[in-house]
Amino acid sequence: MTQTTYVPPKVWQHLEASGGQFSKINRPTAGATHDKELPVGKHPLQLYSLATPNGVKVTILLEELLALGHGGAEYDAWLIRIGEGDQFSSGFVGVNPNSKIPALLDRSGDTPIRVFESGSILLYLAEKFGEFLPEDPAGRTETLNWLFWQMGSAPYLGGGFGHFYAYAPEKFEYAINRFTMEAKRQLDVLDQRLAQNRYLAGDTYTIADIAVWPWYGELVRNNVYGAAEFLSAHEYTHVQRWANEIAEREAVKRGRRVNRTWGDESEQVPERHQAADLA
């Protein structure tokens, strides 16, 4: 098929939907499109999410905290169907004005605290419970280095490589090549780091690993974009070792199932309100 060269107009206008299969969730304005309150369960923490890589980060951390005996980490996980516009409800926008999952509401104190952006949620919970974030300045800083590396890098993997390789309505060689190169560079960054360290921040499993694994760990395990062969993921042996080790953690196995509505039925737990929901 011959592709014509797009000439941008002097002033862009939103004249038609764009974004391929995600076109219904993309718009050039913020704010609520309809009034609807968010449900509230019985636990201190209320999570509104979906089992995308960003959502899985938070449910993995919550399950890890519960595994360590932190009863205060009990949570209700409510499903936000982004394909149906749940993220544009007035209730959700009140918790996250950016209308993106995940969003957390901590109701354990006198005044509820809203936490949005997955990295912010991980840091908030790690500090709240004193887990998965080293106390020494060097260890803490190295953990945050890799946490923020993920926050800055993943848009190139998801909105760049993933979108043009897996979701765009047309295949564009330039875009796929551009973002494939960057995805492989990022995997090489991780591979070189993990060649020298068991985990990203050193010898200790931290929120850095919890943030990076749902994107890059699942990418090399062929569970994100179905692109492991295309990316020659087998070449990143240290990332593979790290990814498979984390995948065997029981809390990770539980967390990745929460708010999932696709795949094998046994892996789907659309909502989680008690530990038995994951039995």
Side-chain angles (χ1 to χ4, degrees), residues 202-269:
D203 294 330
T204 305
Y205 175 70
T206 68
I207 55 172
D209 302 287
I210 294 172
V212 174
W213 183 85
W215 283 102
Y216 298 87
E218 289 289 74
L219 179 71
V220 300
R221 284 163 47 82
N222 207 39
N223 293 325
V224 174
Y225 308 131
E229 181 180 7
F230 180 75
L231 293 169
S232 299
H234 66 279
E235 296 177 352
Y236 305 99
T237 57
H238 305 292
V239 180
Q240 291 277 4
R241 183 269 306 163
W242 166 86
N244 290 329
E245 179 180 346
I246 291 176
E248 290 303 309
R249 296 178 69 91
E250 291 302 317
V252 172
K253 293 178 182 179
R254 292 195 298 273
R256 68 184 300 274
R257 296 168 58 209
V258 178
N259 294 142
R260 181 175 292 271
T261 59
W262 60 88
D264 191 291
E265 188 173 351
S266 65
E267 293 291 298
Q268 298 182 31
V269 183

Side-chain angles (χ1 to χ4, degrees), residues 93-167:
V93 171
V95 179
N96 184 358
N98 197 38
S99 292
K100 302 290 184 182
I101 64 95
L104 179 73
L105 196 61
D106 184 353
R107 299 171 60 90
S108 61
D110 294 335
T111 302
I113 297 174
R114 73 177 188 181
V115 196
F116 60 90
E117 294 299 324
S118 59
S120 179
I121 297 173
L122 294 185
L123 181 57
Y124 177 83
L125 292 173
E127 291 184 331
K128 179 181 177 71
F129 293 101
E131 303 285 0
F132 304 110
L133 181 61
E135 294 182 359
D136 66 289
R140 175 186 171 87
T141 301
E142 189 65 13
T143 299
L144 295 182
N145 287 342
W146 288 103
L147 173 65
F148 289 108
W149 176 89
Q150 186 276 316
M151 301 299 292
S153 297
Y156 292 96
L157 178 61
F161 172 76
H163 178 76
F164 286 105
Y165 177 78
Y167 302 132

Side-chain angles (χ1 to χ4, degrees), residues 51-71:
T52 65
N54 284 335
V56 166
K57 298 175 193 175
V58 179
T59 49
I60 286 176
L61 178 54
L62 289 168
E63 292 296 329
E64 293 279 14
L65 291 168
L66 290 170
L68 291 176
H70 291 282

Side-chain angles (χ1 to χ4, degrees), residues 12 25 69 122 173 264:
W12 183 85
I25 70 173
L122 294 185
E173 182 179 6
D264 191 291

Side-chain angles (χ1 to χ4, degrees), residues 17-72:
S18 61
Q21 69 183 78
F22 298 113
S23 60
K24 292 183 179 179
I25 70 173
N26 295 325
R27 60 193 179 101
T29 57
T33 60
H34 59 284
D35 290 327
K36 184 178 180 180
E37 294 185 3
L38 290 175
V40 177
K42 64 181 180 179
H43 296 305
L45 301 175
Q46 299 295 302
L47 178 67
Y48 305 95
S49 192
L50 184 69
T52 65
N54 284 335
V56 166
K57 298 175 193 175
V58 179
T59 49
I60 286 176
L61 178 54
L62 289 168
E63 292 296 329
E64 293 279 14
L65 291 168
L66 290 170
L68 291 176
H70 291 282

